[in-house]
Coordinates of all heavy atoms in Angstrom, one line a residue:
M20 N 77.4 92.6 103.8 CA 76.0 92.3 103.3 C 76.2 91.7 101.9 O 76.8 92.1 101.1 CB 75.2 93.7 103.1 CG 73.8 93.5 103.6 SD 72.7 94.8 103.2 CE 73.4 96.2 104.1
Q21 N 75.5 90.7 101.8 CA 75.5 89.9 100.4 C 74.4 90.1 99.7 O 73.1 89.5 100.0 CB 75.8 88.5 100.7 CG 76.3 87.7 99.5 CD 77.7 87.8 99.2 OE1 78.3 88.7 99.6 NE2 78.3 86.9 98.4
S22 N 74.3 90.9 98.6 CA 73.0 91.0 97.8 C 73.0 90.0 96.7 O 74.0 89.3 96.5 CB 73.0 92.4 97.2 OG 74.0 92.5 96.2
R23 N 71.9 89.7 96.1 CA 71.8 88.9 95.0 C 72.6 89.2 93.9 O 73.3 88.4 93.2 CB 70.3 88.9 94.5 CG 69.9 88.0 93.2 CD 68.5 88.2 92.9 NE 67.6 87.4 93.6 CZ 67.3 86.1 93.3 NH1 67.8 85.6 92.3 NH2 66.4 85.4 94.0
R24 N 72.9 90.5 93.6 CA 73.7 91.0 92.5 C 75.2 90.5 92.8 O 75.9 90.1 92.0 CB 73.6 92.5 92.4 CG 74.2 93.0 91.2 CD 74.0 94.5 91.0 NE 75.1 95.2 90.4 CZ 76.1 95.7 91.0 NH1 76.1 95.9 92.3 NH2 77.0 96.4 90.4
D25 N 75.6 90.6 94.2 CA 77.0 90.2 94.5 C 77.2 88.8 94.2 O 78.2 88.3 93.7 CB 77.2 90.6 95.9 CG 77.5 92.1 96.1 OD1 78.0 92.7 95.1 OD2 77.2 92.6 97.1
L26 N 76.1 88.0 94.5 CA 76.1 86.6 94.4 C 76.4 86.1 92.9 O 77.3 85.4 92.7 CB 74.8 86.0 94.9 CG 74.9 84.8 95.8 CD1 75.8 85.0 97.0 CD2 73.5 84.5 96.3
T27 N 75.7 86.8 92.0 CA 75.8 86.4 90.6 C 77.2 86.9 90.1 O 77.9 86.3 89.3 CB 74.7 87.0 89.7 OG1 74.6 88.4 90.0 CG2 73.5 86.3 89.9
R28 N 77.6 88.0 90.6 CA 78.9 88.7 90.2 C 80.0 87.6 90.5 O 81.0 87.5 89.8 CB 79.2 89.9 90.9 CG 80.2 90.8 90.2 CD 80.5 92.1 90.9 NE 80.8 91.9 92.3 CZ 81.1 92.9 93.2 NH1 80.9 94.1 92.8 NH2 81.4 92.7 94.4
H29 N 80.0 87.0 91.7 CA 81.0 86.2 92.1 C 81.1 84.9 91.3 O 82.1 84.1 91.4 CB 80.9 85.9 93.6 CG 81.4 87.0 94.4 ND1 80.6 87.7 95.2 CD2 82.6 87.6 94.4 CE1 81.4 88.6 95.9 NE2 82.6 88.6 95.4
L30 N 80.0 84.6 90.5 CA 80.1 83.4 89.8 C 80.8 83.6 88.4 O 81.2 82.6 87.8 CB 78.6 82.9 89.4 CG 77.8 82.4 90.7 CD1 76.3 82.1 90.2 CD2 78.5 81.2 91.3
K31 N 80.9 84.9 88.1 CA 81.6 85.1 86.9 C 83.1 85.1 87.1 O 83.6 85.0 88.2 CB 81.2 86.5 86.5 CG 79.8 86.6 86.0 CD 79.5 88.0 85.6 CE 78.0 88.2 85.2 NZ 77.7 89.5 84.8
I32 N 83.9 85.3 86.0 CA 85.4 85.3 86.0 C 85.8 86.5 86.8 O 85.4 87.6 86.6 CB 85.9 85.3 84.6 CG1 85.5 84.0 83.8 CG2 87.5 85.5 84.6 CD1 85.7 84.1 82.3
K33 N 86.8 86.3 87.6 CA 87.5 87.3 88.3 C 88.7 87.7 87.5 O 89.6 86.9 87.1 CB 88.1 87.0 89.8 CG 86.9 86.8 90.7 CD 87.6 86.3 92.0 CE 86.5 85.8 93.0 NZ 87.0 85.1 94.2
W34 N 88.9 89.0 87.2 CA 89.9 89.5 86.4 C 91.1 89.9 87.4 O 92.3 89.9 87.0 CB 89.6 90.7 85.6 CG 88.6 90.5 84.5 CD1 87.4 90.9 84.3 CD2 88.9 89.5 83.4 NE1 86.8 90.4 83.1 CE2 87.7 89.5 82.6 CE3 89.8 88.6 83.0 CZ2 87.6 88.7 81.5 CZ3 89.8 87.9 81.9 CH2 88.6 87.9 81.2
G35 N 90.7 90.3 88.6 CA 91.8 90.6 89.5 C 91.3 90.7 90.9 O 90.0 90.9 91.2
S36 N 92.3 90.8 91.8 CA 91.8 91.1 93.2 C 92.9 91.7 93.9 O 94.0 91.7 93.4 CB 91.4 89.8 93.9 OG 92.4 88.9 94.0
C37 N 92.7 92.3 95.1 CA 93.8 93.0 95.8 C 93.7 92.7 97.2 O 92.6 92.8 97.9 CB 93.3 94.5 95.6 SG 94.7 95.6 96.3
N38 N 94.8 92.2 97.7 CA 95.0 92.0 99.2 C 95.7 93.2 99.8 O 96.8 93.5 99.6 CB 95.7 90.7 99.5 CG 95.8 90.3 100.9 OD1 96.0 91.1 101.8 ND2 95.5 89.1 101.2
I39 N 94.9 94.0 100.5 CA 95.4 95.2 101.0 C 96.5 95.1 102.0 O 97.5 95.8 102.0 CB 94.2 96.3 101.5 CG1 93.4 96.7 100.2 CG2 94.9 97.4 102.1 CD1 91.9 97.0 100.6
E40 N 96.3 94.2 102.9 CA 97.3 94.1 104.0 C 98.6 93.6 103.5 O 99.6 94.1 103.9 CB 96.6 93.0 105.0 CG 95.8 93.6 106.1 CD 94.5 94.1 105.7 OE1 93.9 93.4 104.8 OE2 94.0 95.1 106.1
K41 N 98.5 92.7 102.6 CA 99.9 92.2 102.0 C 100.3 92.9 100.8 O 101.4 92.7 100.2 CB 99.7 90.7 101.6 CG 99.5 89.8 102.8 CD 99.2 88.2 102.3 CE 99.0 87.4 103.6 NZ 98.4 86.1 103.3
K42 N 99.5 94.0 100.4 CA 99.9 94.8 99.3 C 100.2 94.0 98.1 O 101.2 94.1 97.5 CB 101.1 95.8 99.6 CG 100.8 96.7 100.9 CD 101.4 98.0 100.7 CE 101.3 99.0 101.7 NZ 99.9 98.9 102.5
R43 N 99.3 93.0 97.8 CA 99.5 92.1 96.8 C 98.3 92.2 95.8 O 97.2 92.1 96.2 CB 99.6 90.7 97.3 CG 100.0 89.6 96.4 CD 100.1 88.3 97.1 NE 101.2 88.2 98.0 CZ 101.4 87.4 99.1 NH1 100.5 86.5 99.2 NH2 102.4 87.4 99.7
I44 N 98.6 92.2 94.5 CA 97.6 92.3 93.4 C 97.6 91.0 92.7 O 98.7 90.6 92.3 CB 97.7 93.5 92.5 CG1 97.5 94.8 93.3 CG2 96.9 93.4 91.3 CD1 97.9 96.0 92.6
W45 N 96.5 90.4 92.4 CA 96.4 89.2 91.8 C 95.6 89.5 90.4 O 94.6 90.1 90.5 CB 95.6 88.1 92.5 CG 95.3 86.8 92.0 CD1 96.1 85.7 92.0 CD2 94.2 86.6 91.1 NE1 95.6 84.8 91.1 CE2 94.4 85.2 90.6 CE3 93.1 87.3 90.7 CZ2 93.4 84.7 89.9 CZ3 92.0 86.5 89.9 CH2 92.3 85.3 89.6
L46 N 96.2 89.0 89.3 CA 95.5 89.2 88.0 C 95.4 87.9 87.3 O 96.2 87.0 87.3 CB 96.4 90.2 87.1 CG 96.7 91.6 87.6 CD1 97.8 92.2 86.8 CD2 95.5 92.4 87.7
N47 N 94.2 87.9 86.6 CA 93.9 86.6 85.9 C 94.8 86.6 84.5 O 94.7 87.7 83.8 CB 92.4 86.7 85.6 CG 92.0 85.4 84.9 OD1 92.6 84.8 84.2 ND2 90.7 85.0 85.2
L48 N 95.5 85.6 84.3 CA 96.3 85.6 83.1 C 95.5 85.6 81.8 O 96.1 85.9 80.8 CB 97.3 84.3 83.2 CG 98.4 84.4 84.2 CD1 99.2 83.2 84.2 CD2 99.4 85.7 83.9
E49 N 94.2 85.4 82.0 CA 93.3 85.4 80.7 C 93.4 86.8 80.2 O 93.0 87.0 79.1 CB 92.0 84.9 81.0 CG 91.7 83.5 81.3 CD 91.9 82.7 80.1 OE1 91.3 82.9 79.1 OE2 92.8 81.7 80.0
L50 N 93.7 87.8 81.1 CA 93.7 89.2 80.7 C 94.7 89.5 79.6 O 94.6 90.4 78.9 CB 94.0 90.1 81.9 CG 92.9 90.5 82.8 CD1 93.5 91.2 84.0 CD2 92.0 91.5 82.1
A51 N 95.7 88.6 79.6 CA 96.8 88.7 78.4 C 96.1 88.6 77.1 O 96.7 89.0 76.2 CB 98.0 87.6 78.7
K52 N 95.0 87.9 77.0 CA 94.3 87.8 75.8 C 93.4 89.0 75.4 O 92.8 89.1 74.3 CB 93.5 86.5 75.7 CG 94.3 85.3 75.9 CD 93.3 84.1 76.1 CE 94.1 82.8 76.5 NZ 93.2 81.7 77.0
K53 N 93.3 89.9 76.3 CA 92.5 91.0 76.2 C 93.2 92.2 75.7 O 94.3 92.3 75.8 CB 91.7 91.3 77.5 CG 91.0 90.2 78.2 CD 90.0 89.5 77.2 CE 89.3 88.2 77.9 NZ 88.7 87.4 76.8
P54 N 92.4 93.3 75.2 CA 93.1 94.4 74.9 C 93.9 95.0 75.9 O 93.5 94.9 77.1 CB 92.0 95.4 74.4 CG 90.7 94.5 74.2 CD 90.9 93.3 75.0
I55 N 95.1 95.5 75.6 CA 96.1 96.1 76.6 C 95.3 97.2 77.5 O 95.7 97.3 78.7 CB 97.3 96.5 75.9 CG1 98.5 96.7 76.9 CG2 97.2 97.7 75.1 CD1 99.1 95.6 77.5
N56 N 94.4 98.0 77.0 CA 93.9 99.0 77.7 C 93.0 98.5 78.8 O 92.8 99.1 79.8 CB 93.2 100.0 76.9 CG 92.3 99.4 75.9 OD1 92.1 98.3 75.8 ND2 91.6 100.4 75.1
C57 N 92.3 97.2 78.5 CA 91.6 96.6 79.6 C 92.4 96.1 80.8 O 92.1 96.3 82.0 CB 90.9 95.4 79.0 SG 89.5 95.9 77.8
L58 N 93.6 95.7 80.4 CA 94.6 95.2 81.4 C 95.0 96.5 82.2 O 95.1 96.4 83.5 CB 95.8 94.6 80.7 CG 96.8 94.1 81.6 CD1 96.4 93.0 82.5 CD2 98.0 93.6 80.6
E59 N 95.2 97.6 81.6 CA 95.6 98.8 82.3 C 94.5 99.2 83.3 O 94.7 99.5 84.4 CB 95.8 99.9 81.2 CG 96.4 101.2 82.0 CD 96.6 102.3 80.9 OE1 95.9 102.2 79.9 OE2 97.4 103.1 81.2
Y60 N 93.2 99.0 82.9 CA 92.1 99.4 83.7 C 92.2 98.6 85.0 O 92.0 99.1 86.1 CB 90.7 99.3 82.9 CG 89.6 99.3 83.8 CD1 89.2 100.4 84.6 CD2 88.9 98.1 84.2 CE1 88.1 100.5 85.4 CE2 87.8 98.2 85.0 CZ 87.4 99.3 85.7 OH 86.4 99.3 86.5
I61 N 92.3 97.2 84.8 CA 92.2 96.4 86.0 C 93.4 96.7 86.9 O 93.3 96.8 88.1 CB 92.3 94.9 85.5 CG1 91.1 94.5 84.7 CG2 92.5 94.0 86.8 CD1 89.8 94.5 85.5
I62 N 94.6 96.9 86.3 CA 95.7 97.2 87.1 C 95.6 98.5 88.0 O 95.8 98.5 89.1 CB 97.1 97.2 86.4 CG1 97.5 95.9 85.8 CG2 98.3 97.8 87.2 CD1 98.5 95.7 84.8
V63 N 95.1 99.5 87.3 CA 94.9 100.8 87.9 C 93.9 100.7 89.0 O 94.0 101.1 90.1 CB 94.5 102.0 87.0 CG1 94.1 103.2 87.7 CG2 95.7 102.2 85.9
H64 N 92.8 100.0 88.7 CA 91.7 99.7 89.6 C 92.2 99.1 90.9 O 92.0 99.5 92.0 CB 90.6 98.8 88.9 CG 89.4 98.6 89.8 ND1 88.1 99.1 89.5 CD2 89.2 97.8 91.0 CE1 87.3 98.7 90.4 NE2 87.9 97.9 91.2
E65 N 93.0 97.9 90.7 CA 93.5 97.2 91.9 C 94.6 98.0 92.6 O 94.5 98.1 93.8 CB 94.1 96.0 91.4 CG 93.2 95.0 90.7 CD 92.0 94.6 91.4 OE1 91.9 94.7 92.7 OE2 90.9 94.2 90.8
M66 N 95.3 98.9 92.0 CA 96.3 99.6 92.6 C 95.6 100.8 93.5 O 96.1 101.1 94.5 CB 97.3 100.3 91.7 CG 98.3 99.2 91.3 SD 99.5 99.8 90.1 CE 100.6 100.7 91.1
V67 N 94.5 101.4 92.9 CA 93.7 102.3 93.7 C 93.3 101.7 94.9 O 93.1 102.4 95.9 CB 92.7 102.9 92.7 CG1 91.7 103.9 93.5 CG2 93.2 103.8 91.7
H68 N 92.9 100.5 94.9 CA 92.5 99.8 96.1 C 93.6 99.8 97.2 O 93.3 99.6 98.4 CB 92.0 98.4 95.9 CG 90.6 98.3 95.6 ND1 89.6 98.8 96.2 CD2 90.0 97.6 94.4 CE1 88.5 98.6 95.5 NE2 88.7 98.0 94.5
L69 N 94.9 100.1 96.8 CA 95.8 100.0 97.9 C 95.7 101.4 98.6 O 96.2 101.6 99.7 CB 97.2 99.9 97.3 CG 97.5 98.6 96.6 CD1 98.9 98.6 96.0 CD2 97.4 97.4 97.6
L70 N 95.1 102.4 97.8 CA 94.9 103.7 98.5 C 93.5 103.7 99.2 O 93.3 104.5 100.3 CB 95.0 104.8 97.4 CG 96.3 104.8 96.6 CD1 96.1 105.8 95.4 CD2 97.5 105.4 97.4
E71 N 92.5 103.1 98.6 CA 91.1 103.2 99.0 C 90.5 101.9 98.7 O 90.2 101.5 97.6 CB 90.4 104.3 98.4 CG 89.0 104.5 98.7 CD 88.6 104.4 100.2 OE1 89.2 105.2 100.9 OE2 87.9 103.5 100.7
R72 N 90.1 101.1 99.9 CA 89.6 99.7 99.6 C 88.2 99.7 99.1 O 87.7 98.7 98.6 CB 89.8 99.0 101.0 CG 89.0 99.5 102.1 CD 89.2 98.6 103.3 NE 90.7 98.5 103.7 CZ 91.0 97.7 104.7 NH1 90.1 96.9 105.2 NH2 92.3 97.7 105.0
H73 N 87.4 100.7 99.4 CA 86.0 100.7 99.0 C 85.8 101.4 97.7 O 86.5 102.4 97.3 CB 85.1 101.3 100.0 CG 85.2 100.5 101.3 ND1 84.8 99.2 101.4 CD2 85.8 100.8 102.6 CE1 85.1 98.7 102.7 NE2 85.7 99.7 103.4
H74 N 84.6 101.1 97.0 CA 84.3 101.8 95.8 C 83.5 103.1 96.2 O 82.3 103.1 95.9 CB 83.5 100.9 94.9 CG 84.2 99.8 94.3 ND1 83.6 98.5 94.2 CD2 85.5 99.6 94.0 CE1 84.6 97.5 93.7 NE2 85.7 98.3 93.6
N75 N 84.1 104.0 96.7 CA 83.4 105.3 97.2 C 83.9 106.5 96.4 O 84.6 106.3 95.4 CB 83.6 105.4 98.7 CG 85.1 105.5 99.0 OD1 85.9 105.6 98.2 ND2 85.5 105.2 100.4
D76 N 83.5 107.6 96.9 CA 83.8 108.8 96.1 C 85.3 109.0 96.0 O 85.9 109.5 95.1 CB 83.2 110.0 96.9 CG 81.7 110.1 96.6 OD1 81.2 109.2 95.7 OD2 81.0 110.9 97.3
K77 N 86.1 108.6 97.1 CA 87.5 108.8 97.1 C 88.1 107.9 96.1 O 89.1 108.3 95.4 CB 88.0 108.5 98.5 CG 89.4 109.0 98.7 CD 89.7 108.7 100.3 CE 91.2 108.8 100.5 NZ 91.6 108.1 101.8
F78 N 87.6 106.7 96.0 CA 88.1 105.7 95.0 C 87.8 106.3 93.6 O 88.7 106.2 92.8 CB 87.3 104.4 95.1 CG 87.7 103.3 94.2 CD1 88.6 102.5 94.7 CD2 87.2 103.2 93.0 CE1 89.1 101.4 93.8 CE2 87.6 102.1 92.1 CZ 88.5 101.3 92.5
L79 N 86.6 106.8 93.4 CA 86.4 107.4 92.1 C 87.3 108.6 91.7 O 87.7 108.7 90.6 CB 84.8 107.8 91.9 CG 83.8 106.8 92.0 CD1 82.5 107.3 91.9 CD2 84.1 105.7 90.9
F80 N 87.6 109.4 92.8 CA 88.5 110.5 92.6 C 89.9 110.0 92.0 O 90.4 110.6 91.1 CB 88.5 111.3 93.8 CG 89.7 112.3 93.9 CD1 89.4 113.6 93.3 CD2 90.9 112.1 94.4 CE1 90.3 114.5 93.2 CE2 91.8 113.1 94.3 CZ 91.5 114.4 93.8
Y81 N 90.4 109.0 92.7 CA 91.6 108.4 92.2 C 91.6 107.8 90.8 O 92.5 108.0 90.2 CB 92.1 107.2 93.2 CG 92.6 107.8 94.5 CD1 92.2 107.3 95.8 CD2 93.6 108.8 94.6 CE1 92.7 107.8 97.0 CE2 94.1 109.3 95.9 CZ 93.6 108.8 97.0 OH 94.0 109.1 98.2
M82 N 90.5 107.2 90.5 CA 90.3 106.6 89.1 C 90.4 107.8 88.1 O 91.0 107.6 87.1 CB 89.0 105.8 89.1 CG 89.0 104.4 89.7 SD 90.4 103.3 89.2 CE 89.9 102.9 87.5
E83 N 89.6 108.8 88.4 CA 89.7 109.9 87.5 C 91.0 110.5 87.3 O 91.4 111.0 86.2 CB 88.7 111.1 88.0 CG 87.2 110.6 88.1 CD 86.5 110.7 86.7 OE1 87.1 111.1 85.7 OE2 85.4 110.2 86.5
A84 N 91.7 110.5 88.5 CA 93.1 111.1 88.4 C 94.2 110.3 87.7 O 94.9 110.8 86.9 CB 93.6 111.3 89.9
Y85 N 94.0 109.1 87.9 CA 95.1 108.1 87.3 C 94.7 107.6 85.9 O 95.6 107.2 85.1 CB 95.4 107.0 88.2 CG 96.0 107.5 89.6 CD1 95.5 107.1 90.7 CD2 97.1 108.2 89.5 CE1 96.1 107.4 92.1 CE2 97.7 108.7 90.7 CZ 97.2 108.3 91.9 OH 97.6 108.7 93.1
L86 N 93.4 107.5 85.6 CA 92.9 107.0 84.4 C 91.7 107.5 84.0 O 90.5 107.0 84.2 CB 92.8 105.4 84.6 CG 92.7 104.5 83.3 CD1 94.0 104.3 82.7 CD2 92.2 103.1 83.7
P87 N 91.8 108.7 83.3 CA 90.6 109.6 83.1 C 89.5 108.9 82.3 O 88.3 109.2 82.4 CB 91.1 110.8 82.4 CG 92.6 110.9 82.9 CD 93.0 109.5 83.1
N88 N 89.9 108.0 81.4 CA 88.9 107.3 80.5 C 88.6 105.9 81.0 O 88.2 105.0 80.3 CB 89.5 107.1 79.0 CG 90.7 106.3 79.0 OD1 91.4 106.1 80.0 ND2 90.9 105.6 77.9
W89 N 88.6 105.8 82.4 CA 88.4 104.4 83.0 C 87.0 104.0 82.8 O 86.6 102.9 82.5 CB 88.6 104.5 84.5 CG 87.7 105.3 85.3 CD1 87.8 106.6 85.5 CD2 86.5 105.0 85.9 NE1 86.7 107.1 86.3 CE2 86.0 106.1 86.6 CE3 85.8 103.6 86.0 CZ2 84.7 106.0 87.3 CZ3 84.6 103.7 86.7 CH2 84.1 104.7 87.3
K90 N 85.9 104.9 82.6 CA 84.5 104.5 82.5 C 84.4 103.8 81.0 O 83.7 102.8 80.9 CB 83.6 105.8 82.6 CG 83.2 106.1 83.9 CD 82.5 107.4 83.9 CE 82.3 107.8 85.4 NZ 82.0 109.2 85.4
Q91 N 85.1 104.3 80.0 CA 85.1 103.8 78.8 C 85.6 102.4 78.7 O 85.2 101.5 78.1 CB 85.8 104.8 77.9 CG 85.8 104.4 76.3 CD 87.0 105.1 75.5 OE1 87.1 106.2 75.8 NE2 87.5 104.3 74.7
L92 N 86.8 102.3 79.4 CA 87.5 101.0 79.5 C 86.8 99.9 80.2 O 86.6 98.8 79.8 CB 88.9 101.2 80.1 CG 89.9 102.1 79.5 CD1 91.1 102.2 80.3 CD2 90.1 101.5 78.1
R93 N 86.0 100.4 81.2 CA 85.2 99.4 82.0 C 84.0 98.9 81.2 O 83.7 97.9 81.2 CB 84.6 100.2 83.3 CG 83.9 99.2 84.2 CD 83.3 99.9 85.4 NE 82.4 100.9 85.1 CZ 81.6 101.6 85.9 NH1 81.8 101.5 87.1 NH2 80.9 102.6 85.4
A94 N 83.4 99.9 80.4 CA 82.4 99.5 79.5 C 82.8 98.5 78.5 O 82.1 97.5 78.2 CB 81.9 100.7 78.8
E95 N 84.0 98.7 78.0 CA 84.6 97.7 77.0 C 84.7 96.4 77.7 O 84.4 95.3 77.1 CB 85.9 98.3 76.6 CG 86.4 97.9 75.2 CD 87.6 98.7 74.8 OE1 87.7 100.0 74.8 OE2 88.6 98.1 74.4
L96 N 85.3 96.3 78.9 CA 85.5 95.1 79.6 C 84.3 94.5 80.0 O 84.2 93.2 80.1 CB 86.4 95.5 80.9 CG 87.1 94.3 81.5 CD1 88.1 93.6 80.4 CD2 88.0 94.7 82.6
N97 N 83.2 95.2 80.3 CA 81.9 94.8 80.7 C 81.1 93.9 79.6 O 80.2 93.3 79.8 CB 81.1 95.8 81.3 CG 81.3 96.1 82.7 OD1 82.0 95.3 83.4 ND2 81.0 97.3 83.2
K98 N 81.7 94.2 78.4 CA 81.2 93.3 77.2 C 81.5 91.9 77.4 O 81.0 91.0 76.9 CB 81.6 93.9 75.9 CG 81.0 95.2 75.6 CD 81.7 95.8 74.3 CE 81.4 97.2 74.0 NZ 82.4 97.7 73.1
L99 N 82.7 91.6 78.1 CA 83.1 90.3 78.5 C 82.6 90.0 79.8 O 82.2 90.8 80.7 CB 84.7 90.3 78.5 CG 85.3 91.2 77.3 CD1 86.8 91.5 77.7 CD2 85.3 90.3 76.1
P100 N 82.6 88.6 80.2 CA 82.2 88.3 81.6 C 83.2 88.9 82.5 O 84.4 88.6 82.4 CB 82.2 86.9 81.6 CG 82.9 86.4 80.4 CD 82.9 87.5 79.3
V101 N 82.9 89.6 83.5 CA 83.8 90.4 84.3 C 83.6 90.4 85.7 O 82.2 90.4 86.2 CB 84.1 91.8 83.8 CG1 82.8 92.6 83.8 CG2 85.2 92.5 84.4
S102 N 84.5 90.3 86.5 CA 84.3 90.5 87.9 C 85.7 90.8 88.7 O 86.6 90.5 88.0 CB 83.6 89.3 88.7 OG 83.5 89.6 90.0
H103 N 85.5 91.3 89.8 CA 86.9 91.4 90.5 C 86.4 91.3 92.0 O 85.3 91.6 92.3 CB 87.5 92.6 90.1 CG 87.5 93.7 91.0 ND1 88.5 94.1 91.9 CD2 86.4 94.4 91.5 CE1 88.2 95.0 92.7 NE2 86.9 95.3 92.4
A104 N 87.3 90.9 92.8 CA 86.9 90.8 94.2 C 88.0 91.4 95.2 O 89.1 91.4 94.8 CB 86.6 89.4 94.7
E105 N 87.6 91.9 96.3 CA 88.6 92.3 97.3 C 88.5 91.3 98.5 O 87.3 90.7 98.7 CB 88.2 93.6 97.9 CG 88.3 94.8 96.9 CD 87.0 95.0 96.1 OE1 85.9 94.6 96.6 OE2 87.1 95.6 95.0
W106 N 89.6 91.0 99.1 CA 89.5 90.1 100.2 C 90.8 90.5 101.1 O 91.6 91.3 100.7 CB 89.6 88.7 99.8 CG 90.4 88.4 98.6 CD1 89.9 88.3 97.3 CD2 91.8 88.1 98.5 NE1 90.9 88.0 96.4 CE2 92.0 87.8 97.1 CE3 92.8 88.0 99.5 CZ2 93.3 87.6 96.7 CZ3 94.1 87.7 99.0 CH2 94.3 87.5 97.7
G107 N 90.8 89.8 102.2 CA 91.8 90.0 103.2 C 91.6 91.0 104.2 O 92.5 91.6 104.9
Y108 N 90.3 91.4 104.3 CA 90.0 92.4 105.5 C 88.6 92.0 106.0 O 87.8 91.4 105.1 CB 90.0 93.7 105.0 CG 89.3 94.2 103.9 CD1 87.8 94.7 104.0 CD2 89.9 94.1 102.6 CE1 87.1 95.0 102.9 CE2 89.0 94.4 101.5 CZ 87.8 94.9 101.6 OH 86.9 95.2 100.5
Ligands
ZN212 ZN1 87.3 97.3 93.0

């Protein structure tokens, strides 16, 4: 399902994406210019997608486990134009 919100989100910069089948994570090299903790957030986020592809309770559980301050990091990154996408399924 494609909501209006998803549509606008995809127009923004993608910081990373994850191809679950190929177990491949793609990161935007622009992240190198961002604070290192933002980079960590994206990497952990994409790696959690290898365990759980959807942003559901299980996904949040893993985020809490691996990066307890992920909400703070996400807020920091959201001050910048941000997006990420999943594909390959
Ligand atoms: Zn995600």
Side-chain angles (χ1 to χ4, degrees):
M20 219 194 298
Q21 192 84 342
S22 72
R23 176 183 277 269
R24 192 171 148 265
D25 283 333
L26 226 52
T27 48
R28 195 180 61 181
H29 282 117
L30 294 175
K31 293 181 185 175
I32 296 165
K33 282 180 195 164
W34 291 123
S36 65
C37 181
N38 187 315
I39 291 154
E40 271 71 34
K41 292 178 181 167
K42 303 218 179 328
R43 187 177 293 162
I44 291 168
W45 176 90
L46 296 172
N47 190 327
L48 286 179
E49 289 293 309
L50 275 173
K52 299 173 187 168
K53 307 301 174 199
I55 191 75
N56 51 1
C57 290
L58 182 59
E59 188 181 23
Y60 165 71
I61 295 293
I62 291 172
V63 173
H64 183 113
E65 301 304 341
M66 283 180 80
V67 169
H68 272 309
L69 298 177
L70 303 169
E71 173 53 54
R72 61 178 60 184
H73 301 295
H74 297 142
N75 55 19
D76 287 348
K77 200 174 158 196
F78 184 91
L79 293 180
F80 172 81
Y81 285 129
M82 285 304 291
E83 295 283 351
Y85 296 126
L86 198 67
N88 65 333
W89 69 271
K90 280 178 189 161
Q91 186 200 320
L92 297 176
R93 186 182 62 178
E95 212 172 301
L96 201 55
N97 278 345
K98 290 175 194 163
L99 317 159
V101 62
S102 181
H103 103 111
E105 298 89 22
W106 34 270
Y108 58 89

